[in-house]
Amino acid sequence: MSIPRFIYSTYRFYLDGFRSMTVGRKLWLIILIKLVVIFAVIRLFFFTPALSGTDEQKARAVGEALVGRQNIQFNPFNPLLHYNE
């Protein structure tokens, strides 16, 4: 099965464009470096490992999270979540 001509010509168009770039390569490199740094910082500071420790501690953390979610009700007249106490 051959690749359709449109897909192949589009691929060649972008390939030739990236090959002939001079300033654009440096800009793409800067963009990629910034993205890696941003996602690395976000992962380090905002997505800390919640499930660390022994298997019993992990099971307890998951159980508490699931039980905590059962106490949430949605009020159709107020889009905010309300917690039952």
Side-chain angles (χ1 to χ4, degrees):
M1 182 174 187
S2 65
I3 299 174
R5 184 165 175 78
F6 173 74
I7 294 174
Y8 180 73
S9 62
T10 304
Y11 169 75
R12 292 295 302 182
F13 173 76
Y14 281 102
L15 183 66
D16 292 339
F18 280 114
R19 281 185 184 162
S20 64
M21 277 197 292
T22 56
V23 177
R25 284 186 185 181
K26 292 178 185 175
L27 294 176
W28 276 109
L29 181 64
I30 292 171
I31 290 169
L32 290 175
I33 291 171
K34 286 174 75 172
L35 284 173
V36 167
V37 168
I38 288 171
F39 284 118
V41 168
I42 286 174
R43 184 160 191 254
L44 282 175
F45 292 112
F46 295 109
F47 297 111
T48 58
L51 295 177
S52 60
T54 64
D55 288 339
E56 294 173 4
Q57 291 172 339
K58 292 177 185 178
R60 184 173 300 169
V62 170
E64 289 174 0
L66 291 175
V67 170
R69 289 184 185 168
Q70 290 177 353
N71 293 332
I72 298 175
Q73 284 187 340
F74 180 74
N75 184 351
F77 300 107
N78 186 357
L80 301 175
L81 294 176
H82 296 281
Y83 292 94
N84 289 337
E85 295 182 13

